């Protein structure tokens, strides 16, 4: 099988010739891994690890400094950079609308449009990566609005000012529907998978109730899913944390692939996920980023990888990946062991 055929078979719950593989890592992790390997060729790394999914990006506006070591992106998310031995890592702070006092403050914010992005290179990139399954985007309909508003403000708004939440979620949803449509048009429908993100879980359970999920998150997920499916793509939905109560709802909303199936409790084990949802959704991720990958031995990493592949992927329906972007505290030996 080609990488694209392998990934699409797994998503369709058909048995591929082997478990398909994905890879994503923080820039600092790439620095550490490339230094260990002794070269600077990222594409060579992905080929050597037999990665099947290629992540597409388009240039957007640069971040700006807002003082005090704080930076802001085009959405109004704000963050600092924490230094590691291998380079800086982003850490979020209160967003640009955290101090908003009136609805007019939201309306008057300089909201971005897809005109800020340059899609002209996407078609050529697709042709260069023709054999891969192609993944595009970074759409978010709830979590990134919360980062711009500030988590505390967002949680209070959901109770006291629900129209504020819907305004923010609408801004992001409309933007990303246009963004994905333009990307699909620029590539003549070649993109296989579109990413949709909203972290719904903590280490111990959901961040919000099912009722709040249904009011403030689900309608916008459904819009994005319908848009992506109309473009001929599959939806990779990312949510960290213990999100087992949401999985039936996400399946009903039309999610095709669920990431990162973070192993934070009994309800998120591969055995239980397969027993409850196997055949209904494709799983992506699962290899523990908090303890196993940074602290385990290569042999332990390999054993856990085999476990996930055997339980979730024996008959298709699983894409091997870490349970978040590889972080810079993961030894390169463990990254290599996971794919070996």
């Amino acid at each position: 099988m080609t990488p694209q055929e392998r990934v699409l078979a797994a998503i369709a719950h058909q048995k591929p010739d082997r478990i398909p593989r994905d890879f994503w890592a923080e820039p600092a992790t790439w620095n550490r891994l490339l230094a260990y390997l002794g070269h600077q060729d990222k594409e060579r790394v992905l080929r050597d690890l037999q990665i099947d999914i290629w992540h597409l990006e388009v240039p957007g506006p640069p971040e700006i400094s807002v003082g005090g070591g704080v930076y802001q992106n085009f959405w109004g998310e704000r963050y600092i950079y924490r230094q590691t031995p291998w380079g800086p890592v982003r850490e979020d702070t209160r967003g640009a609308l955290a101090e908003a006092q009136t609805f007019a403050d939201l309306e008057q914010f300089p909201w971005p449009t897809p005109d800020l992005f340059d899609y002209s290179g996407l078609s050529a990139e697709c042709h260069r990566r023709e054999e891969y399954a192609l993944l595009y985007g970074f759409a978010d309909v709830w979590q990134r609005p919360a980062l711009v508003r500030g988590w505390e403000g967002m949680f209070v708004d959901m109770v006291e000012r629900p129209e504020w939440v819907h305004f923010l979620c609408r801004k992001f949803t409309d933007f990303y529907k246009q963004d994905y449509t333009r990307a699909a048009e620029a590539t003549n429908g070649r993109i296989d998978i579109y990413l949709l993100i909203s972290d719904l879980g903590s280490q111990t359970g959901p961040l919000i109730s099912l009722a709040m999920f249904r009011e403030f998150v689900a309608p916008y997920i459904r819009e994005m899913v319908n848009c992506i499916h109309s473009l001929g793509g599959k939806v990779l939905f990312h949510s960290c944390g213990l999100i087992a109560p949401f999985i039936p709802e996400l399946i009903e909303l039309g999610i095709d692939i669920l990431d990162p199936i973070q192993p934070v409790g009994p309800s998120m084990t591969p055995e239980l996920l397969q027993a409850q949802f196997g055949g209904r959704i494709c799983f992506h991720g699962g290899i523990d980023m908090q303890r196993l990958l940074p602290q385990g031995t290569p042999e332990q990493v390999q054993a856990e990888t085999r476990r996930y592949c055997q339980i979730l992927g024996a008959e298709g329906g699983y894409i091997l990946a870490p349970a978040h972007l590889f972080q810079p505290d993961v030894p390169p030996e463990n990254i290599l062991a996971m794919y070996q």
Side-chain angles (χ1 to χ4, degrees):
M1 285 182 162
T2 66
Q4 182 193 31
E5 291 169 341
R6 187 174 297 121
V7 171
L8 294 180
I11 296 171
H13 303 282
Q14 299 166 359
K15 188 174 181 179
D17 59 342
R18 64 163 174 81
I19 302 292
R21 306 170 177 197
D22 196 5
F23 182 102
W24 43 13
E26 296 282 0
T29 313
W30 268 113
N31 293 340
R32 184 179 184 183
L33 178 60
L34 291 169
Y36 175 83
L37 295 172
H39 65 82
Q40 295 297 311
D41 189 340
K42 290 184 178 181
E43 184 169 358
R44 174 181 164 188
V45 174
L46 298 178
R47 291 189 182 277
D48 288 347
L49 298 181
Q50 301 180 55
I51 303 304
D52 296 289
I53 298 176
W54 190 273
H55 294 238
L56 300 168
E57 298 179 0
V58 295
E63 65 187 10
I64 61 172
S65 172
V66 294
V70 178
Y71 293 86
Q72 177 176 312
N73 65 13
F74 63 94
W75 274 120
E77 294 174 278
R78 290 182 176 177
Y79 42 87
I80 61 173
Y81 287 107
R82 295 288 188 191
Q83 291 300 321
T84 76
W86 306 280
V89 174
R90 168 176 155 168
E91 181 178 307
D92 291 311
T93 62
R94 289 164 62 81
L97 291 174
E99 307 302 328
Q101 299 296 313
T102 68
F103 190 75
D105 292 335
L106 308 187
E107 294 178 307
Q108 293 165 9
F109 186 76
W111 295 106
T113 74
D115 293 337
L116 297 172
F117 286 78
D118 181 4
Y119 301 89
S120 60
L122 268 183
S123 180
E125 180 75 356
C126 288
H127 286 302
R128 285 195 296 270
R129 318 298 178 191
E130 188 62 37
E131 74 273 22
Y132 288 96
L134 299 179
L135 182 150
Y136 176 80
F138 204 81
D140 195 328
V141 295
W142 181 73
Q143 179 189 357
R144 296 182 82 187
L147 290 173
V148 175
R149 176 70 179 106
W151 280 110
E152 295 152 345
M154 190 68 151
F155 285 134
V156 172
D157 290 346
M158 286 192 292
V159 176
E160 296 187 351
R161 295 176 289 267
E163 69 279 6
W164 289 34
V165 181
H166 285 296
F167 177 89
L168 293 170
C169 293
R170 170 56 55 203
K171 283 291 183 183
F172 279 74
T173 301
D174 288 349
F175 176 96
Y176 282 113
K177 286 165 64 178
Q178 294 181 49
D179 172 41
Y180 283 9
T181 299
R182 293 192 187 189
E185 291 171 348
T187 59
N188 198 28
R190 173 59 183 85
I191 298 168
D192 301 293
I193 304 167
Y194 293 82
L195 182 60
L196 178 59
I197 294 173
S198 278
D199 282 349
L200 300 168
S202 72
Q203 294 289 112
T204 57
L207 289 172
I208 56 175
S209 67
L210 278 172
M212 284 188 166
F213 170 79
R214 290 166 183 158
E215 178 177 355
F216 296 111
V217 187
Y220 303 103
I221 290 178
R222 189 182 297 278
E223 279 192 45
M224 290 301 306
V225 168
N226 290 342
C227 173
I228 291 167
H229 286 167
S230 75
L231 300 173
K234 301 295 184 182
V235 182
L236 170 59
F237 182 79
H238 166 94
S239 174
C240 291
L242 199 162
I243 61 164
F246 295 121
I247 296 177
E249 310 257 336
L250 294 170
I251 293 173
E252 190 277 330
L253 289 168
I255 297 299
D256 301 292
I257 313 158
L258 181 63
D259 170 83
I261 51 173
Q262 187 181 352
V264 290
S267 64
M268 297 295 291
T269 62
E271 292 85 356
L272 195 58
L273 291 173
Q274 180 65 13
Q276 292 185 325
F277 309 112
R280 300 171 60 195
I281 196 167
C282 179
F283 294 108
H284 177 286
I287 310 304
D288 178 40
M289 183 58 63
Q290 293 180 277
R291 296 176 182 84
L292 175 69
L293 281 165
Q295 300 170 18
T297 65
E299 293 74 21
Q300 290 171 325
V301 171
Q302 289 182 330
E304 187 72 343
T305 301
R306 291 192 198 99
R307 172 178 167 234
Y308 269 79
C309 289
Q310 291 167 358
I311 293 170
L312 295 179
E315 298 299 326
Y318 178 59
I319 299 169
L320 174 64
H324 206 286
L325 281 76
F326 285 113
Q327 300 297 304
D329 61 347
V330 176
E333 296 89 338
N334 283 357
I335 295 177
L336 302 181
M338 180 177 141
Y339 294 104
Q340 292 164 351

